[in-house]
């Protein structure tokens, strides 16, 4: 396995087009605006909307994630993983997200990505928190586009924090142009674009 550090992340950041950089900088701002809009419409707190979005997010596209939250608020039923729907319901009912999203086993760090995703939405991208999913890990590891999927359970515990730290260092090396959260969003967009065959990188 490759060494995790900022260099591979910076490689992606450097090849990002102006449009991709602008899209990445705006991604969490747009998500924040959506959370506020949902909160206003359904009479909940914006942080509840953000954490419920995050709870529902695993294995969903962003569009599906948005639709699943609105459906849950309107009908108290939605699509997705049953355990995640239950967590979203608890958050919308007023239970503390820190309790709902706490690891079931304190000895095993889980749910870091979900909590980070919510934090990035709440901050509108202006944060050093990094949402590390498999695409973010691929970028940090400098993995080739055709590489086999990362093994289940790879992004846990200390490795998650190591990857997040690499994004924070990459943000520092960008000369302060972007937060760590924005670097993750920009490089995610670049990776996804390349994965779908629009351009070449590795």
């Amino acid at each position: 396995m490759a060494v995790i550090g900022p260099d591979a992340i910076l490689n992606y950041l450097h090849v990002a087009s102006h449009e991709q950089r602008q899209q990445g900088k705006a991604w969490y701002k747009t998500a924040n605006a959506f959370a506020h809009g949902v909160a206003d419409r359904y009479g909940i707190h914006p942080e509840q909307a953000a954490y419920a979005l995050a709870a529902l997010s695993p294995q969903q596209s962003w569009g599906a994630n948005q639709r699943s939250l609105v459906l849950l608020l309107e009908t108290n039923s939605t699509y997705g993983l049953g355990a995640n729907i239950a967590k979203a319901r608890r958050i919308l009912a007023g239970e503390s997200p820190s309790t709902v999203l706490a690891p079931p086993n304190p000895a095993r760090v889980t749910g870091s990505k979900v909590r980070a995703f919510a934090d990035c939405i709440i901050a509108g991208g202006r944060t050093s928190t990094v949402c590390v999913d498999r695409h973010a890990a691929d970028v940090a590891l400098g993995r080739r586009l055709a590489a086999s999927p990362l093994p289940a359970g790879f992004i846990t515990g200390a490795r998650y924090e190591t990857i997040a730290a690499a994004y924070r260092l990459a943000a520092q090396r960008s000369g302060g142009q972007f937060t760590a959260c924005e670097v993750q969003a920009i490089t995610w967009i670049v990776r996804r674009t390349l994965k779908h065959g629009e351009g070449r990188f590795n």
Side-chain angles (χ1 to χ4, degrees):
M1 189 65 68
V3 175
I4 300 171
D7 292 343
I9 298 168
L10 288 167
N11 285 341
Y12 273 87
L13 189 61
H14 290 157
V15 301
S17 67
H18 175 74
E19 181 180 7
Q20 287 169 331
R21 291 182 179 215
Q22 293 305 112
Q23 288 176 344
K25 287 195 72 168
W27 202 97
Y28 284 107
K29 291 178 183 177
T30 302
N32 176 277
F34 175 79
H36 277 265
V38 166
D40 290 343
R41 181 177 176 184
Y42 295 98
I44 60 175
H45 194 279
E47 289 194 8
Q48 280 181 292
Y51 277 107
L53 272 168
L56 292 167
S57 68
Q59 299 185 30
Q60 290 192 3
S61 68
W62 174 236
N65 192 183
Q66 292 172 294
R67 291 190 294 274
S68 66
L69 175 60
V70 171
L71 185 61
L72 182 60
L73 286 163
E74 291 186 344
T75 70
N76 197 37
S77 180
T78 192
Y79 50 84
L81 302 176
N84 296 338
I85 295 170
K87 290 176 183 178
R89 284 197 181 108
R90 289 168 62 190
I91 291 167
L92 294 173
E95 194 170 343
S96 169
S98 61
T99 299
V100 175
L101 301 176
N105 178 358
R108 182 171 180 267
V109 178
T110 59
S112 299
K113 179 180 79 74
V114 170
R115 292 189 295 273
F117 188 43
D119 290 344
C120 289
I121 292 172
I122 291 165
R126 303 307 296 172
T127 177
S128 61
T129 298
V130 181
C131 179
V132 179
D133 63 5
R134 60 189 177 86
H135 301 295
D138 278 343
V139 169
L141 288 162
R143 281 163 46 87
R144 298 184 66 83
L145 296 174
S148 58
L150 288 165
F154 176 85
I155 310 172
T156 56
R159 189 175 281 125
Y160 186 105
E161 291 306 319
T162 299
I163 294 171
Y167 275 90
R168 286 190 281 271
L169 186 53
Q172 291 176 14
R173 292 188 182 177
S174 76
Q177 297 180 71
F178 314 105
T179 67
C181 182
E182 290 170 342
V183 170
Q184 177 268 315
I186 294 166
T187 56
W188 187 95
I189 289 169
V190 174
R191 176 84 182 182
R192 188 173 183 278
T193 301
L194 293 171
K195 195 81 171 179
H196 285 74
E198 301 174 29
R200 298 177 61 85
F201 182 58
N202 64 356

